[in-house]
Amino acid sequence: MLFLALTDDKGRLLWLSAARPGRSSEITTARYNKLVERLRTVELGAIGDLGFVGLDDAPDNPVVITGYKAARTKPLTSAKKQVNKLIASVRAVCEHAFAHLKNWRILTKLRLDVRHATPLLRALLVLTNTEVSRDRRS
């Protein structure tokens, strides 16, 4: 099972996509959920990992910012390596939010049709946000 999640800059989970079969790629799932169009409609942006390279079709006005991939014949320049480090440092906060969501062990044992998994994921989103906000208040 594969799903996408969006967080804010503080690492709070904001949105989960519908579940897709595990054989799907991140970029295919983002296209299926029309992620770029939805972000552009509400005038928001996102920072993604290298699995999203090529997702955004507007290089002059990108909505999804990703790092650079090295090719076998063309290594990254030092400037591109710096950009990748900067993006990784911003994404670290968001990765903590994903880790909170993955603490629910049912996600590792789930063997359902993805149509039935989506409501469960959305419920876990609410529970995760409740748990995290409770921990932050303490």
Side-chain angles (χ1 to χ4, degrees):
M1 174 176 58
L2 177 82
F3 59 92
L4 302 177
L6 290 177
T7 67
D8 64 8
D9 60 340
K10 304 268 191 270
R12 291 180 294 243
L13 287 163
L14 302 174
W15 174 82
L16 287 178
S17 71
R20 300 282 295 157
R23 65 183 175 272
S24 302
S25 67
E26 290 176 332
I27 198 166
T28 302
T29 302
R31 287 182 178 136
Y32 177 82
N33 284 284
K34 297 179 173 50
L35 186 60
V36 171
E37 293 85 357
R38 288 178 177 194
L39 288 170
R40 195 164 272 130
T41 299
V42 293
E43 297 180 356
L44 289 175
I47 297 175
D49 63 19
L50 295 180
F52 295 100
V53 171
L55 174 64
D56 203 341
D57 56 355
D60 296 334
N61 185 20
V63 173
V64 179
I65 297 170
T66 60
Y68 295 97
K69 284 185 179 180
R72 270 189 220 161
T73 58
K74 198 172 182 185
L76 293 179
T77 64
S78 61
K80 288 183 178 179
K81 286 180 184 178
Q82 284 293 100
V83 169
N84 282 355
K85 283 184 181 180
L86 180 63
I87 289 172
S89 68
V90 172
R91 286 189 59 251
V93 174
C94 301
E95 291 298 329
H96 291 289
F98 298 132
H100 287 299
L101 190 61
K102 290 177 183 178
N103 280 337
W104 299 101
R105 291 188 179 184
I106 191 166
L107 290 178
T108 61
K109 299 175 186 204
L110 199 59
R111 302 291 178 259
L112 291 175
D113 187 285
V114 292
R115 289 176 294 150
H116 303 297
T118 300
L120 175 63
L121 285 170
R122 301 269 162 78
L124 290 177
L125 170 68
V126 173
L127 289 172
T128 300
N129 285 338
T130 303
E131 288 277 318
V132 170
S133 65
R134 187 179 323 155
D135 290 343
R136 287 184 180 155
R137 280 187 256 142
S138 309

